[in-house]
mmCIF file of all heavy atoms in Angstrom:
data_model
loop_
_atom_site.group_PDB
_atom_site.id
_atom_site.type_symbol
_atom_site.label_atom_id
_atom_site.label_comp_id
_atom_site.label_asym_id
_atom_site.label_seq_id
_atom_site.Cartn_x
_atom_site.Cartn_y
_atom_site.Cartn_z
ATOM 1 N N LEU B 46 81.698 94.895 93.717
ATOM 2 C CA LEU B 46 80.293 95.215 93.546
ATOM 3 C C LEU B 46 79.452 93.991 93.208
ATOM 4 O O LEU B 46 79.912 92.979 92.604
ATOM 5 C CB LEU B 46 80.221 96.126 92.321
ATOM 6 C CG LEU B 46 80.689 97.609 92.429
ATOM 7 C CD1 LEU B 46 80.434 98.387 91.154
ATOM 8 C CD2 LEU B 46 79.981 98.315 93.653
ATOM 9 N N ASP B 50 73.609 96.567 93.976
ATOM 10 C CA ASP B 50 74.241 97.184 95.227
ATOM 11 C C ASP B 50 73.724 98.751 95.243
ATOM 12 O O ASP B 50 73.535 99.233 94.093
ATOM 13 C CB ASP B 50 75.722 97.256 95.179
ATOM 14 C CG ASP B 50 76.398 96.225 96.077
ATOM 15 O OD1 ASP B 50 75.709 95.832 97.035
ATOM 16 O OD2 ASP B 50 77.508 95.855 95.708
ATOM 17 N N LYS B 51 73.571 99.299 96.329
ATOM 18 C CA LYS B 51 73.427 100.746 96.376
ATOM 19 C C LYS B 51 74.625 101.371 96.992
ATOM 20 O O LYS B 51 74.989 101.040 98.154
ATOM 21 C CB LYS B 51 72.203 101.216 97.242
ATOM 22 C CG LYS B 51 72.009 102.803 97.287
ATOM 23 C CD LYS B 51 70.791 103.235 97.886
ATOM 24 C CE LYS B 51 70.703 104.719 97.815
ATOM 25 N NZ LYS B 51 69.521 105.312 98.462
ATOM 26 N N VAL B 52 75.415 101.971 96.147
ATOM 27 C CA VAL B 52 76.832 102.417 96.498
ATOM 28 C C VAL B 52 76.705 103.919 96.934
ATOM 29 O O VAL B 52 76.190 104.780 96.233
ATOM 30 C CB VAL B 52 77.816 102.302 95.287
ATOM 31 C CG1 VAL B 52 79.220 102.789 95.782
ATOM 32 C CG2 VAL B 52 77.784 100.878 94.914
ATOM 33 N N MET B 53 77.173 104.265 98.130
ATOM 34 C CA MET B 53 77.266 105.612 98.607
ATOM 35 C C MET B 53 78.682 106.094 98.390
ATOM 36 O O MET B 53 79.672 105.464 98.924
ATOM 37 C CB MET B 53 76.913 105.738 99.986
ATOM 38 C CG MET B 53 76.966 107.137 100.493
ATOM 39 S SD MET B 53 76.602 107.259 102.300
ATOM 40 C CE MET B 53 78.363 107.290 102.848
ATOM 41 N N VAL B 54 78.932 107.092 97.479
ATOM 42 C CA VAL B 54 80.187 107.545 97.271
ATOM 43 C C VAL B 54 80.501 108.766 98.410
ATOM 44 O O VAL B 54 79.807 109.620 98.436
ATOM 45 C CB VAL B 54 80.452 108.094 95.839
ATOM 46 C CG1 VAL B 54 81.719 108.704 95.652
ATOM 47 C CG2 VAL B 54 80.176 107.058 94.802
ATOM 48 N N ALA B 55 81.710 108.606 98.915
ATOM 49 C CA ALA B 55 82.168 109.659 99.904
ATOM 50 C C ALA B 55 82.699 110.719 98.991
ATOM 51 O O ALA B 55 83.941 110.574 98.683
ATOM 52 C CB ALA B 55 83.131 109.108 100.761
ATOM 53 N N LEU B 56 82.011 111.688 98.708
ATOM 54 C CA LEU B 56 82.346 112.722 97.662
ATOM 55 C C LEU B 56 82.863 113.975 98.345
ATOM 56 O O LEU B 56 82.061 114.827 98.752
ATOM 57 C CB LEU B 56 81.175 112.878 96.855
ATOM 58 C CG LEU B 56 81.245 113.829 95.577
ATOM 59 C CD1 LEU B 56 82.222 113.335 94.597
ATOM 60 C CD2 LEU B 56 79.912 114.108 94.917
ATOM 61 N N SER B 57 84.147 114.215 98.291
ATOM 62 C CA SER B 57 84.635 115.560 98.791
ATOM 63 C C SER B 57 84.620 116.604 97.786
ATOM 64 O O SER B 57 84.763 117.757 98.223
ATOM 65 C CB SER B 57 86.054 115.169 99.436
ATOM 66 O OG SER B 57 86.999 115.079 98.267
ATOM 67 N N SER B 62 87.642 111.456 94.578
ATOM 68 C CA SER B 62 86.177 110.987 94.650
ATOM 69 C C SER B 62 85.443 111.475 93.404
ATOM 70 O O SER B 62 84.491 110.836 92.981
ATOM 71 C CB SER B 62 85.591 111.659 95.939
ATOM 72 O OG SER B 62 85.633 113.020 95.910
ATOM 73 N N LEU B 65 86.045 108.731 90.905
ATOM 74 C CA LEU B 65 85.430 107.462 91.400
ATOM 75 C C LEU B 65 83.929 107.645 90.984
ATOM 76 O O LEU B 65 83.341 106.599 90.509
ATOM 77 C CB LEU B 65 85.558 107.367 92.964
ATOM 78 C CG LEU B 65 84.816 106.323 93.653
ATOM 79 C CD1 LEU B 65 85.456 104.878 93.109
ATOM 80 C CD2 LEU B 65 85.031 106.318 95.102
ATOM 81 N N LEU B 66 83.282 108.788 91.266
ATOM 82 C CA LEU B 66 81.955 108.972 90.875
ATOM 83 C C LEU B 66 81.713 108.788 89.381
ATOM 84 O O LEU B 66 80.755 108.199 88.877
ATOM 85 C CB LEU B 66 81.499 110.407 91.373
ATOM 86 C CG LEU B 66 79.975 110.695 91.059
ATOM 87 C CD1 LEU B 66 79.235 109.812 92.109
ATOM 88 C CD2 LEU B 66 79.688 112.150 91.390
ATOM 89 N N LEU B 69 81.926 105.023 88.670
ATOM 90 C CA LEU B 69 80.797 104.269 89.108
ATOM 91 C C LEU B 69 79.477 104.689 88.465
ATOM 92 O O LEU B 69 78.556 103.871 88.363
ATOM 93 C CB LEU B 69 80.662 104.499 90.721
ATOM 94 C CG LEU B 69 81.750 103.836 91.472
ATOM 95 C CD1 LEU B 69 81.566 104.079 92.964
ATOM 96 C CD2 LEU B 69 81.688 102.338 91.292
ATOM 97 N N ILE B 78 74.072 99.165 89.391
ATOM 98 C CA ILE B 78 73.919 99.505 90.733
ATOM 99 C C ILE B 78 73.146 100.782 90.856
ATOM 100 O O ILE B 78 72.826 101.401 89.925
ATOM 101 C CB ILE B 78 75.403 99.861 91.323
ATOM 102 C CG1 ILE B 78 76.095 100.957 90.414
ATOM 103 C CG2 ILE B 78 76.211 98.581 91.376
ATOM 104 C CD1 ILE B 78 77.243 101.569 91.176
ATOM 105 N N ASP B 79 72.843 101.016 92.125
ATOM 106 C CA ASP B 79 72.086 102.356 92.473
ATOM 107 C C ASP B 79 73.162 103.209 93.063
ATOM 108 O O ASP B 79 74.116 102.617 93.674
ATOM 109 C CB ASP B 79 71.025 102.142 93.448
ATOM 110 C CG ASP B 79 70.120 103.291 93.494
ATOM 111 O OD1 ASP B 79 70.331 104.325 92.806
ATOM 112 O OD2 ASP B 79 69.159 103.451 94.406
ATOM 113 N N LEU B 80 73.192 104.454 92.913
ATOM 114 C CA LEU B 80 74.290 105.313 93.353
ATOM 115 C C LEU B 80 73.705 106.609 94.022
ATOM 116 O O LEU B 80 72.776 107.173 93.718
ATOM 117 C CB LEU B 80 74.975 105.781 92.010
ATOM 118 C CG LEU B 80 76.348 106.429 92.190
ATOM 119 C CD1 LEU B 80 77.415 105.522 92.770
ATOM 120 C CD2 LEU B 80 76.914 106.843 90.683
ATOM 121 N N CYS B 81 74.529 106.790 95.218
ATOM 122 C CA CYS B 81 74.194 108.112 95.762
ATOM 123 C C CYS B 81 75.558 108.562 96.353
ATOM 124 O O CYS B 81 76.562 108.046 96.358
ATOM 125 C CB CYS B 81 73.195 107.882 97.027
ATOM 126 S SG CYS B 81 73.820 106.695 98.317
ATOM 127 N N ALA B 82 75.589 109.940 96.855
ATOM 128 C CA ALA B 82 76.796 110.437 97.277
ATOM 129 C C ALA B 82 76.509 111.206 98.624
ATOM 130 O O ALA B 82 75.444 111.662 98.960
ATOM 131 C CB ALA B 82 77.395 111.407 96.321
ATOM 132 N N MET B 83 77.630 111.309 99.410
ATOM 133 C CA MET B 83 77.468 112.091 100.697
ATOM 134 C C MET B 83 78.804 112.973 100.867
ATOM 135 O O MET B 83 79.921 112.341 100.582
ATOM 136 C CB MET B 83 77.428 111.072 101.799
ATOM 137 C CG MET B 83 76.771 111.610 103.109
ATOM 138 S SD MET B 83 78.014 112.126 104.222
ATOM 139 C CE MET B 83 78.966 110.599 104.475
ATOM 140 N N THR B 84 78.710 114.156 101.289
ATOM 141 C CA THR B 84 79.852 114.947 101.343
ATOM 142 C C THR B 84 79.785 115.485 102.851
ATOM 143 O O THR B 84 78.819 115.775 103.387
ATOM 144 C CB THR B 84 79.637 116.214 100.505
ATOM 145 O OG1 THR B 84 79.532 115.783 99.172
ATOM 146 C CG2 THR B 84 80.977 117.090 100.575
ATOM 147 N N ILE B 85 81.018 115.375 103.462
ATOM 148 C CA ILE B 85 81.139 115.814 104.776
ATOM 149 C C ILE B 85 81.767 117.379 104.928
ATOM 150 O O ILE B 85 82.807 117.553 104.281
ATOM 151 C CB ILE B 85 82.034 114.841 105.725
ATOM 152 C CG1 ILE B 85 81.266 113.516 105.787
ATOM 153 C CG2 ILE B 85 82.260 115.410 107.107
ATOM 154 C CD1 ILE B 85 81.947 112.363 106.450
ATOM 155 N N ILE B 109 71.932 112.405 90.810
ATOM 156 C CA ILE B 109 71.818 111.362 91.877
ATOM 157 C C ILE B 109 71.671 112.014 93.254
ATOM 158 O O ILE B 109 71.950 113.174 93.459
ATOM 159 C CB ILE B 109 73.255 110.580 91.896
ATOM 160 C CG1 ILE B 109 74.416 111.448 92.209
ATOM 161 C CG2 ILE B 109 73.451 109.745 90.701
ATOM 162 C CD1 ILE B 109 75.632 110.750 92.708
ATOM 163 N N GLU B 110 71.194 111.100 94.128
ATOM 164 C CA GLU B 110 70.787 111.582 95.523
ATOM 165 C C GLU B 110 72.077 112.035 96.315
ATOM 166 O O GLU B 110 73.203 111.304 96.184
ATOM 167 C CB GLU B 110 70.240 110.329 96.242
ATOM 168 C CG GLU B 110 69.755 110.518 97.650
ATOM 169 C CD GLU B 110 69.402 109.096 98.256
ATOM 170 O OE1 GLU B 110 69.463 108.115 97.505
ATOM 171 O OE2 GLU B 110 69.128 109.129 99.426
ATOM 172 N N HIS B 111 72.071 113.207 96.969
ATOM 173 C CA HIS B 111 73.221 113.650 97.596
ATOM 174 C C HIS B 111 73.003 114.327 98.846
ATOM 175 O O HIS B 111 71.926 115.027 99.000
ATOM 176 C CB HIS B 111 73.920 114.703 96.554
ATOM 177 C CG HIS B 111 75.261 115.370 97.199
ATOM 178 N ND1 HIS B 111 75.411 116.612 97.121
ATOM 179 C CD2 HIS B 111 76.296 114.739 97.733
ATOM 180 C CE1 HIS B 111 76.554 117.027 97.695
ATOM 181 N NE2 HIS B 111 77.101 115.800 97.993
ATOM 182 N N LYS B 112 73.821 114.125 99.864
ATOM 183 C CA LYS B 112 73.538 114.683 101.199
ATOM 184 C C LYS B 112 74.854 115.395 101.585
ATOM 185 O O LYS B 112 75.996 114.854 101.504
ATOM 186 C CB LYS B 112 73.233 113.562 102.044
ATOM 187 C CG LYS B 112 72.391 113.907 103.229
ATOM 188 C CD LYS B 112 71.904 112.580 103.880
ATOM 189 C CE LYS B 112 71.239 112.871 105.183
ATOM 190 N NZ LYS B 112 70.755 111.654 105.832
ATOM 191 N N VAL B 113 74.779 116.489 102.315
ATOM 192 C CA VAL B 113 75.940 117.109 102.926
ATOM 193 C C VAL B 113 75.751 117.081 104.424
ATOM 194 O O VAL B 113 74.644 117.455 104.938
ATOM 195 C CB VAL B 113 76.047 118.615 102.491
ATOM 196 C CG1 VAL B 113 77.252 119.243 103.192
ATOM 197 C CG2 VAL B 113 76.125 118.740 101.019
ATOM 198 N N VAL B 114 76.736 116.592 105.131
ATOM 199 C CA VAL B 114 76.525 116.450 106.596
ATOM 200 C C VAL B 114 77.690 117.210 107.215
ATOM 201 O O VAL B 114 78.934 117.051 107.013
ATOM 202 C CB VAL B 114 76.603 115.003 107.051
ATOM 203 C CG1 VAL B 114 76.464 114.858 108.447
ATOM 204 C CG2 VAL B 114 75.574 114.103 106.275
ATOM 205 N N ARG B 144 84.810 111.575 110.863
ATOM 206 C CA ARG B 144 84.410 111.282 109.423
ATOM 207 C C ARG B 144 83.852 109.896 109.324
ATOM 208 O O ARG B 144 82.824 109.539 108.702
ATOM 209 C CB ARG B 144 85.444 111.596 108.522
ATOM 210 C CG ARG B 144 85.454 112.963 108.000
ATOM 211 C CD ARG B 144 86.079 113.162 106.642
ATOM 212 N NE ARG B 144 87.282 112.465 106.387
ATOM 213 C CZ ARG B 144 88.366 112.900 105.758
ATOM 214 N NH1 ARG B 144 88.143 114.101 105.113
ATOM 215 N NH2 ARG B 144 89.414 112.320 105.580
ATOM 216 N N ARG B 145 84.698 108.897 109.890
ATOM 217 C CA ARG B 145 84.260 107.512 109.775
ATOM 218 C C ARG B 145 82.973 107.302 110.455
ATOM 219 O O ARG B 145 82.000 106.560 110.059
ATOM 220 C CB ARG B 145 85.329 106.652 110.357
ATOM 221 C CG ARG B 145 86.422 106.264 109.314
ATOM 222 C CD ARG B 145 87.305 105.184 109.843
ATOM 223 N NE ARG B 145 88.116 105.436 110.991
ATOM 224 C CZ ARG B 145 89.175 106.158 110.958
ATOM 225 N NH1 ARG B 145 89.820 106.506 109.718
ATOM 226 N NH2 ARG B 145 89.897 106.497 112.010
ATOM 227 N N TRP B 146 82.792 107.959 111.615
ATOM 228 C CA TRP B 146 81.574 107.839 112.440
ATOM 229 C C TRP B 146 80.353 108.306 111.575
ATOM 230 O O TRP B 146 79.317 107.683 111.488
ATOM 231 C CB TRP B 146 81.787 108.688 113.684
ATOM 232 C CG TRP B 146 80.606 108.460 114.671
ATOM 233 C CD1 TRP B 146 80.535 107.625 115.682
ATOM 234 C CD2 TRP B 146 79.384 109.214 114.690
ATOM 235 N NE1 TRP B 146 79.413 107.803 116.380
ATOM 236 C CE2 TRP B 146 78.600 108.796 115.800
ATOM 237 C CE3 TRP B 146 78.772 110.295 113.984
ATOM 238 C CZ2 TRP B 146 77.421 109.242 116.281
ATOM 239 C CZ3 TRP B 146 77.494 110.765 114.370
ATOM 240 C CH2 TRP B 146 76.864 110.278 115.457
ATOM 241 N N ILE B 147 80.541 109.509 110.935
ATOM 242 C CA ILE B 147 79.411 109.932 110.104
ATOM 243 C C ILE B 147 79.077 109.157 108.843
ATOM 244 O O ILE B 147 78.035 108.860 108.522
ATOM 245 C CB ILE B 147 79.721 111.411 109.628
ATOM 246 C CG1 ILE B 147 79.860 112.334 110.788
ATOM 247 C CG2 ILE B 147 78.774 111.962 108.575
ATOM 248 C CD1 ILE B 147 80.131 113.830 110.489
ATOM 249 N N ILE B 148 80.249 108.826 108.136
ATOM 250 C CA ILE B 148 80.089 107.935 106.896
ATOM 251 C C ILE B 148 79.300 106.640 107.254
ATOM 252 O O ILE B 148 78.331 106.344 106.522
ATOM 253 C CB ILE B 148 81.463 107.651 106.302
ATOM 254 C CG1 ILE B 148 82.051 108.888 105.636
ATOM 255 C CG2 ILE B 148 81.276 106.448 105.246
ATOM 256 C CD1 ILE B 148 83.379 108.729 105.000
ATOM 257 N N ASN B 149 79.636 106.032 108.276
ATOM 258 C CA ASN B 149 78.981 104.787 108.648
ATOM 259 C C ASN B 149 77.489 105.066 108.887
ATOM 260 O O ASN B 149 76.631 104.241 108.559
ATOM 261 C CB ASN B 149 79.678 104.194 109.857
ATOM 262 C CG ASN B 149 79.674 102.714 109.920
ATOM 263 O OD1 ASN B 149 79.965 102.084 108.826
ATOM 264 N ND2 ASN B 149 79.337 102.106 110.983
ATOM 265 N N ARG B 150 77.340 106.046 109.744
ATOM 266 C CA ARG B 150 75.792 106.340 110.048
ATOM 267 C C ARG B 150 75.026 106.706 108.826
ATOM 268 O O ARG B 150 73.894 106.101 108.619
ATOM 269 C CB ARG B 150 75.845 107.427 111.129
ATOM 270 C CG ARG B 150 74.459 107.599 111.778
ATOM 271 C CD ARG B 150 74.322 108.994 112.544
ATOM 272 N NE ARG B 150 74.417 110.067 111.647
ATOM 273 C CZ ARG B 150 74.284 111.361 111.989
ATOM 274 N NH1 ARG B 150 74.024 111.586 113.361
ATOM 275 N NH2 ARG B 150 74.468 112.372 111.186
ATOM 276 N N GLU B 151 75.564 107.551 107.969
ATOM 277 C CA GLU B 151 74.812 107.949 106.956
ATOM 278 C C GLU B 151 74.574 106.928 105.840
ATOM 279 O O GLU B 151 73.571 106.978 105.100
ATOM 280 C CB GLU B 151 75.560 109.270 106.203
ATOM 281 C CG GLU B 151 75.401 110.454 107.095
ATOM 282 C CD GLU B 151 74.085 110.862 107.409
ATOM 283 O OE1 GLU B 151 73.066 110.651 106.732
ATOM 284 O OE2 GLU B 151 73.842 111.186 108.677
ATOM 285 N N ALA B 152 75.575 105.985 105.741
ATOM 286 C CA ALA B 152 75.414 104.810 104.785
ATOM 287 C C ALA B 152 74.062 104.152 105.178
ATOM 288 O O ALA B 152 73.333 103.729 104.303
ATOM 289 C CB ALA B 152 76.625 103.968 104.778
ATOM 290 N N ARG B 153 73.911 103.864 106.504
ATOM 291 C CA ARG B 153 72.713 103.223 106.871
ATOM 292 C C ARG B 153 71.438 104.100 106.608
ATOM 293 O O ARG B 153 70.419 103.606 106.187
ATOM 294 C CB ARG B 153 72.749 102.925 108.442
ATOM 295 C CG ARG B 153 73.668 101.776 108.806
ATOM 296 C CD ARG B 153 73.349 101.255 110.176
ATOM 297 N NE ARG B 153 73.157 102.272 111.191
ATOM 298 C CZ ARG B 153 74.121 102.910 111.899
ATOM 299 N NH1 ARG B 153 75.417 102.415 111.687
ATOM 300 N NH2 ARG B 153 73.888 103.777 112.743
ATOM 301 N N ASN B 154 71.625 105.371 106.879
ATOM 302 C CA ASN B 154 70.501 106.250 106.627
ATOM 303 C C ASN B 154 70.017 106.348 105.175
ATOM 304 O O ASN B 154 69.018 106.467 104.905
ATOM 305 C CB ASN B 154 70.780 107.742 107.161
ATOM 306 C CG ASN B 154 70.737 107.844 108.625
ATOM 307 O OD1 ASN B 154 70.387 106.938 109.300
ATOM 308 N ND2 ASN B 154 71.275 108.930 109.094
ATOM 309 N N MET B 155 71.086 106.175 104.249
ATOM 310 C CA MET B 155 70.782 106.189 102.892
ATOM 311 C C MET B 155 70.453 104.754 102.284
ATOM 312 O O MET B 155 70.408 104.618 100.995
ATOM 313 C CB MET B 155 71.922 106.878 102.098
ATOM 314 C CG MET B 155 72.057 108.366 102.426
ATOM 315 S SD MET B 155 73.431 109.257 101.619
ATOM 316 C CE MET B 155 72.649 110.134 100.250
ATOM 317 N N ASN B 156 70.433 103.747 103.230
ATOM 318 C CA ASN B 156 70.202 102.439 102.807
ATOM 319 C C ASN B 156 71.349 101.955 101.754
ATOM 320 O O ASN B 156 70.956 101.058 100.976
ATOM 321 C CB ASN B 156 68.889 102.245 102.191
ATOM 322 C CG ASN B 156 67.798 102.526 103.083
ATOM 323 O OD1 ASN B 156 67.900 102.036 104.326
ATOM 324 N ND2 ASN B 156 66.731 103.215 102.783
ATOM 325 N N ALA B 157 72.639 102.446 101.958
ATOM 326 C CA ALA B 157 73.620 101.962 101.081
ATOM 327 C C ALA B 157 74.059 100.571 101.501
ATOM 328 O O ALA B 157 74.130 100.196 102.664
ATOM 329 C CB ALA B 157 74.766 102.882 101.059
ATOM 330 N N THR B 158 74.456 99.777 100.519
ATOM 331 C CA THR B 158 75.048 98.356 100.774
ATOM 332 C C THR B 158 76.555 98.461 100.619
ATOM 333 O O THR B 158 77.219 97.632 101.124
ATOM 334 C CB THR B 158 74.420 97.353 99.800
ATOM 335 O OG1 THR B 158 74.621 97.844 98.456
ATOM 336 C CG2 THR B 158 72.978 97.021 100.007
ATOM 337 N N LYS B 159 77.134 99.476 99.998
ATOM 338 C CA LYS B 159 78.511 99.706 99.916
ATOM 339 C C LYS B 159 78.907 101.150 100.067
ATOM 340 O O LYS B 159 78.063 102.034 99.645
ATOM 341 C CB LYS B 159 79.068 99.252 98.494
ATOM 342 C CG LYS B 159 78.844 97.844 98.199
ATOM 343 C CD LYS B 159 79.878 96.879 98.708
ATOM 344 C CE LYS B 159 79.488 95.388 98.701
ATOM 345 N NZ LYS B 159 79.233 94.821 97.430
ATOM 346 N N ILE B 160 80.004 101.418 100.755
ATOM 347 C CA ILE B 160 80.571 102.750 100.764
ATOM 348 C C ILE B 160 81.779 102.777 99.799
ATOM 349 O O ILE B 160 82.731 102.056 100.086
ATOM 350 C CB ILE B 160 80.883 103.133 102.194
ATOM 351 C CG1 ILE B 160 79.727 103.123 103.217
ATOM 352 C CG2 ILE B 160 81.565 104.587 102.291
ATOM 353 C CD1 ILE B 160 80.139 103.135 104.610
ATOM 354 N N ALA B 161 81.790 103.668 98.855
ATOM 355 C CA ALA B 161 83.070 103.763 97.999
ATOM 356 C C ALA B 161 83.819 104.966 98.312
ATOM 357 O O ALA B 161 83.302 106.046 98.429
ATOM 358 C CB ALA B 161 82.616 103.801 96.566
ATOM 359 N N THR B 162 85.137 104.672 98.546
ATOM 360 C CA THR B 162 85.930 105.878 98.930
ATOM 361 C C THR B 162 87.037 105.998 97.809
ATOM 362 O O THR B 162 87.447 105.013 97.154
ATOM 363 C CB THR B 162 86.697 105.713 100.261
ATOM 364 O OG1 THR B 162 87.444 104.576 100.186
ATOM 365 C CG2 THR B 162 85.560 105.746 101.375
ATOM 366 N N GLY B 163 87.552 107.126 97.598
ATOM 367 C CA GLY B 163 88.490 107.430 96.576
ATOM 368 C C GLY B 163 89.934 107.167 96.751
ATOM 369 O O GLY B 163 90.842 107.763 96.137
ATOM 370 N N THR B 200 78.766 99.193 107.254
ATOM 371 C CA THR B 200 78.550 98.934 105.773
ATOM 372 C C THR B 200 79.992 98.707 105.143
ATOM 373 O O THR B 200 80.908 99.210 105.584
ATOM 374 C CB THR B 200 77.854 100.194 105.270
ATOM 375 O OG1 THR B 200 76.764 100.489 105.999
ATOM 376 C CG2 THR B 200 77.487 99.943 103.775
ATOM 377 N N VAL B 201 79.985 97.662 104.216
ATOM 378 C CA VAL B 201 81.203 97.255 103.598
ATOM 379 C C VAL B 201 81.750 98.511 102.825
ATOM 380 O O VAL B 201 81.029 99.237 102.116
ATOM 381 C CB VAL B 201 80.972 96.165 102.561
ATOM 382 C CG1 VAL B 201 82.203 95.858 101.823
ATOM 383 C CG2 VAL B 201 80.485 94.878 103.335
ATOM 384 N N LYS B 202 83.075 98.781 103.027
ATOM 385 C CA LYS B 202 83.729 99.838 102.332
ATOM 386 C C LYS B 202 84.585 99.284 101.127
ATOM 387 O O LYS B 202 85.205 98.316 101.256
ATOM 388 C CB LYS B 202 84.660 100.653 103.258
ATOM 389 C CG LYS B 202 83.909 101.413 104.368
ATOM 390 C CD LYS B 202 84.776 102.393 104.936
ATOM 391 C CE LYS B 202 84.068 103.138 106.104
ATOM 392 N NZ LYS B 202 84.341 102.630 107.387
ATOM 393 N N ILE B 203 84.529 99.951 100.100
ATOM 394 C CA ILE B 203 85.274 99.529 98.834
ATOM 395 C C ILE B 203 86.221 100.704 98.388
ATOM 396 O O ILE B 203 85.877 101.772 98.484
ATOM 397 C CB ILE B 203 84.414 98.893 97.813
ATOM 398 C CG1 ILE B 203 83.391 100.035 97.306
ATOM 399 C CG2 ILE B 203 83.771 97.716 98.190
ATOM 400 C CD1 ILE B 203 82.697 99.634 95.966
ATOM 401 N N LYS B 204 87.327 100.275 97.830
ATOM 402 C CA LYS B 204 88.218 101.316 97.389
ATOM 403 C C LYS B 204 88.685 100.947 95.913
ATOM 404 O O LYS B 204 89.811 100.360 95.608
ATOM 405 C CB LYS B 204 89.605 101.221 98.133
ATOM 406 C CG LYS B 204 89.385 101.651 99.585
ATOM 407 C CD LYS B 204 90.772 101.488 100.270
ATOM 408 C CE LYS B 204 90.609 101.684 101.757
ATOM 409 N NZ LYS B 204 91.860 101.123 102.483
ATOM 410 N N PRO B 205 87.877 101.348 94.853
ATOM 411 C CA PRO B 205 88.082 100.929 93.451
ATOM 412 C C PRO B 205 89.347 101.569 92.868
ATOM 413 O O PRO B 205 89.839 101.024 91.895
ATOM 414 C CB PRO B 205 86.854 101.240 92.806
ATOM 415 C CG PRO B 205 85.808 101.472 93.837
ATOM 416 C CD PRO B 205 86.530 101.900 95.073
#
Side-chain angles (χ1 to χ4, degrees):
L46 287 183
D50 262 336
K51 180 171 183 182
V52 182
M53 183 187 90
V54 176
L56 183 66
S57 66
S62 59
L65 178 63
L66 185 70
L69 289 178
I78 57 165
D79 193 6
L80 194 61
C81 61
M83 201 265 302
T84 305
I85 296 180
I109 60 160
E110 180 188 358
H111 179 230
K112 206 165 170 181
V113 179
V114 183
R144 271 208 311 218
R145 275 193 293 278
W146 189 91
I147 293 176
I148 286 177
N149 212 46
R150 191 192 66 174
E151 289 309 321
R153 286 199 314 274
N154 289 344
M155 293 179 105
N156 294 319
T158 51
K159 300 269 163 69
I160 298 167
T162 61
T200 304
V201 175
K202 290 197 184 97
I203 57 169
K204 297 174 190 165

